[in-house]
Amino acid sequence: MKMNRFFSSIFLLSVSFVFFSCKSFGGIQKEISPLDYSDSDVLENERKRISDLMMSEPVEAYWRSILLGDEKIMEECANHLEKMTEMALEEKNYASAWRYSNSLEVTGYQNRNISFSDIEQLFKKDVPGFQKNTKVPASINEAVKATVTVIVDKGIKITYGMGLPDKVLGSGFFIDERGYIVTNHHVIADMVDPAYEGYSRLYIKLPGNEDDKIPAKVIGWDSVTDLALLKTEYIPEYVLNLGSSSELVVGDQINVIGAPLGLEGTLTSGIVSNTKRKLFSNGDVFQIDASVNSGNSGGPCIDKDMKVQAVVFAGVLQAQGLNFAIPVEYLKQELPFMYAGGEFNHSWIGCFGRTKRNGGKKLGAEIQYVMPGSPARLSGLKKDQVITSVNGEQINSVEDLQGYFRSTTPGTIVKLEFEEEEKPLYVYLTKRNGEPAREIYESDLIENTFLPLFGMQLIPASTTSRNTYKIDYVIEGSEADELQFSENDPLTIKDLKVDKNDKYILVQIVTKRHKKNLFDVTMVMGTSFDGPNYF
């Protein structure tokens, strides 16, 4: 509930004369290049790779066959993927069938037996939150009855020699008459954490009924956007409908319902203070001023029509009216995947970039860096390209692109289109493990990694010292720009630390900045493993 873990990714920027011990830096020593299909050995190895992938990762095999351009292999992979789709349908594995058929659809391959739209309907047919509810509250008092207190009972903990109950309290709300509940992932995290070895039991309590504990189970979850879907056998008296976050603007009135400090059915009210707070690595969240305390996590923000517009997830300690909520659009995008069961994994293609603007107009997602060995690099994406469409849907910003990726899943092919009528490219979505910065550092030369990590491109300045560079250019608005670095500033890397526990990278440098009259300065720059500009 507290903001420590959310603000930990928004740290740094410079600390003078700080020293630390760590492993040597340098990343890799040879850049990984795209495959050269004119080389006969490369060609034969890729054919073998595709053959090996057909059973384990049929979509990736199909994508690689498209890059290879061998019509016979492409047809073989497409036919196999079609058969895998039919097998998934027979097993009622609609999530896999949707992923397979979607990849065929965007590449222009028509399934001979069933259309993609039919499969999509099957995939989303029974998803909670998408159904027509008849038990919709007509007043705030009835809306309170659609909420629950979520409790994770972890048994007993020993504190100062005494055994005390160990419980996690949160809030939730019914979105389906079959007993499906939405809450925050961090409320039920121990229930799904494979590293947790202790006792835990999940149940809910209803407002006005403090004695009954109703068992519940976790269906699906997403640790990145902090959402979870639960199921209980209880038939709710009222169910909340999901609204559309685009309907809310700054100043709109909202109500929050939850169990702060365990006080079930507590109602607070306020306004939307901001709709563009970047506390997540893949999207903006709402700032609200309605009172929120420990235990409110997972509760709904509802509008005057009793529709859920956001899900409360955090508040700042010792600050009044500074609280945050997840837009309901994120929930609606992920519900089909969470309903399918298990963890929802986010996608990326291995790029870093920013929204291209012309004055106040957003023109698309501009690529400023492509990671070696990534799907983007293998597909031929390049720096300075501007993505304007994904699978035919218009993209005006990096946020739009990340929003589209939330509505799909790793292991899917997407069709990207660019400004200036460049040739469309097909790219395979891979799993975003929450550590793109670390992946980039481990995959590329150090002078290249400084661009996505800190916002400046380096070039070697010495043939004798591999630690000495000068700045080629600085990205406007980046950390390097804010620290007043500029073109041709010299820079020597003294040390670099990759902290895999706290997930950040620190680099100690010595530099002379032209904007600071070329005074010698030693400073530390840092970045988290993830951020809003990786896609």
Side-chain angles (χ1 to χ4, degrees):
M1 174 75 191
K2 307 310 176 189
M3 287 305 300
N4 293 348
R5 72 188 185 91
F6 298 103
F7 282 128
S8 63
S9 63
I10 312 174
F11 77 96
L12 182 206
L13 284 154
S14 67
V15 181
S16 298
F17 302 102
V18 176
F19 297 88
F20 41 84
S21 60
C22 56
K23 73 181 186 68
S24 61
F25 63 89
I28 65 169
Q29 298 305 310
K30 183 179 180 181
E31 186 175 359
I32 303 170
S33 300
L35 298 177
D36 179 9
Y37 295 124
S38 64
D39 187 305
S40 59
D41 289 338
V42 171
L43 191 61
E44 188 59 35
N45 287 336
E46 187 62 9
R47 284 172 175 159
K48 184 178 184 306
R49 185 203 297 264
I50 291 171
S51 178
D52 292 341
L53 282 170
M54 281 181 65
M55 292 307 298
S56 60
E57 298 292 342
V59 178
E60 183 179 354
Y62 179 48
W63 168 65
R64 285 181 174 273
S65 74
I66 294 171
L67 300 184
L68 189 64
D70 187 309
E71 294 288 342
K72 182 178 179 181
I73 296 177
M74 285 172 60
E75 184 177 3
E76 182 182 357
C77 288
N79 289 337
H80 177 69
L81 195 53
E82 185 178 47
K83 291 178 181 177
M84 294 289 288
T85 303
E86 294 168 0
M87 288 176 58
L89 288 173
E90 290 175 4
E91 298 168 357
K92 296 186 177 181
N93 183 356
Y94 299 131
S96 292
W98 178 87
R99 181 166 64 90
Y100 298 154
S101 61
N102 190 18
S103 298
L104 290 169
E105 176 80 5
V106 300
T107 57
Y109 184 92
Q110 298 298 317
N111 193 309
R112 289 163 289 192
N113 299 319
I114 187 169
S115 70
F116 168 68
S117 60
D118 291 338
I119 295 174
E120 188 171 36
Q121 286 182 12
L122 288 171
F123 176 45
K124 297 181 178 181
K125 180 181 177 182
D126 296 320
V127 175
F130 291 5
Q131 311 303 309
K132 183 177 180 181
N133 296 313
T134 59
K135 300 179 177 181
V136 179
S139 66
I140 286 290
N141 183 54
E142 291 178 347
V144 171
K145 296 177 182 179
T147 65
V148 301
T149 301
V150 179
I151 303 173
V152 178
D153 185 353
K154 299 167 63 178
I156 301 295
K157 63 180 177 181
I158 306 300
T159 304
Y160 300 115
M162 295 184 296
L164 300 174
D166 188 6
K167 295 181 180 180
V168 178
L169 297 179
S171 302
F173 54 97
F174 287 106
I175 61 167
D176 188 276
E177 295 170 10
R178 294 168 293 175
Y180 285 96
I181 296 167
V182 169
T183 187
N184 283 148
H185 164 264
H186 76 261
V187 173
I188 54 86
D190 289 328
M191 300 294 300
V192 296
D193 184 359
Y196 179 72
E197 298 178 348
Y199 164 87
S200 63
R201 186 166 67 95
L202 176 65
Y203 56 90
I204 65 165
K205 293 170 68 176
L206 304 173
N209 190 347
E210 299 180 359
D211 297 327
D212 290 344
K213 298 177 180 178
I214 303 172
K217 61 180 179 180
V218 180
I219 301 299
W221 68 95
D222 176 11
S223 60
V224 176
T225 52
D226 201 12
L227 292 168
L229 180 66
L230 314 182
K231 175 71 167 68
T232 180
E233 297 308 313
Y234 176 80
I235 299 175
E237 184 177 0
Y238 294 100
V239 172
L240 293 175
N241 282 334
L242 304 181
S244 174
S245 302
S246 61
E247 298 170 357
L248 285 187
V249 297
V250 173
D252 280 353
Q253 292 286 329
I254 49 95
N255 294 294
V256 171
I257 308 173
L261 306 178
L263 300 173
E264 293 97 339
T266 297
L267 173 72
T268 57
S269 62
I271 62 168
V272 177
S273 304
N274 195 288
T275 61
K276 299 291 183 182
R277 294 301 183 205
K278 295 187 178 299
L279 301 187
F280 284 168
S281 62
N282 67 340
D284 299 328
V285 300
F286 291 165
Q287 180 185 330
I288 60 176
D289 75 345
S291 179
V292 168
N293 293 283
S294 178
N296 270 113
S297 293
C301 288
I302 61 175
D303 61 14
K304 58 182 175 58
D305 298 319
M306 307 303 126
K307 289 184 178 181
V308 178
Q309 297 291 0
V311 183
V312 173
F313 78 99
V316 179
L317 282 171
Q318 299 177 339
Q320 285 189 329
L322 195 56
N323 306 305
F324 303 92
I326 305 155
V328 74
E329 298 301 336
Y330 298 3
L331 174 63
K332 290 163 67 175
Q333 288 170 329
E334 297 182 12
L335 270 173
F337 304 101
M338 290 197 290
Y339 178 62
E343 182 178 10
F344 174 74
N345 293 307
H346 288 257
S347 304
W348 82 311
I349 58 176
C351 290
F352 171 91
R354 294 173 184 268
T355 299
K356 183 177 181 180
R357 289 179 168 84
N358 183 5
K361 186 178 181 181
K362 297 178 181 179
L363 304 178
E366 183 177 9
I367 299 171
Q368 295 172 316
Y369 171 87
V370 182
M371 184 177 78
S374 67
R377 177 66 69 89
L378 293 175
S379 292
L381 271 70
K382 299 177 182 178
K383 179 181 175 295
D384 296 330
Q385 284 183 306
V386 180
I387 301 171
T388 57
S389 171
V390 180
N391 292 349
E393 185 171 313
Q394 184 173 339
I395 299 297
N396 296 320
S397 64
V398 170
E399 291 78 15
D400 287 349
L401 185 60
Q402 292 169 335
Y404 190 92
F405 286 172
R406 270 195 307 274
S407 66
T408 184
T409 184
T412 308
I413 298 172
V414 294
K415 179 183 178 181
L416 301 182
E417 295 180 280
F418 310 90
E419 69 176 1
E420 299 179 359
E421 298 182 357
E422 295 181 56
K423 179 182 177 182
L425 294 174
Y426 296 106
V427 187
Y428 180 76
L429 300 182
T430 191
K431 178 181 176 182
R432 179 175 179 150
N433 65 5
E435 301 180 355
R438 182 186 62 81
E439 283 191 57
I440 287 171
Y441 169 72
E442 294 176 351
S443 301
D444 206 344
L445 301 173
I446 193 71
E447 57 263 33
N448 296 331
T449 66
F450 262 58
L451 182 68
L453 299 187
F454 306 113
M456 53 182 164
Q457 177 67 50
L458 305 182
I459 53 177
S462 171
T463 57
T464 59
S465 174
R466 55 188 285 255
N467 303 347
T468 303
Y469 304 89
K470 71 174 182 178
I471 297 175
D472 189 23
Y473 62 89
V474 174
I475 297 176
E476 185 177 353
S478 67
E479 288 80 5
D481 186 31
E482 291 180 1
L483 290 170
Q484 296 189 302
F485 284 97
S486 58
E487 181 181 346
N488 292 321
D489 283 352
L491 184 150
T492 299
I493 302 175
K494 302 297 292 184
D495 218 338
L496 189 147
K497 177 183 180 181
V498 179
D499 190 316
K500 295 183 179 180
N501 292 323
D502 292 328
K503 297 188 176 184
Y504 63 82
I505 298 174
L506 290 180
V507 60
Q508 183 188 39
I509 61 173
V510 178
T511 185
K512 295 180 179 180
R513 292 168 294 178
H514 286 81
K515 292 181 179 179
K516 291 292 185 178
N517 299 318
L518 292 175
F519 288 123
D520 282 328
V521 62
T522 299
M523 65 169 61
V524 173
M525 300 180 67
T527 185
S528 64
F529 277 5
D530 206 351
N533 295 106
Y534 298 103
F535 54 84

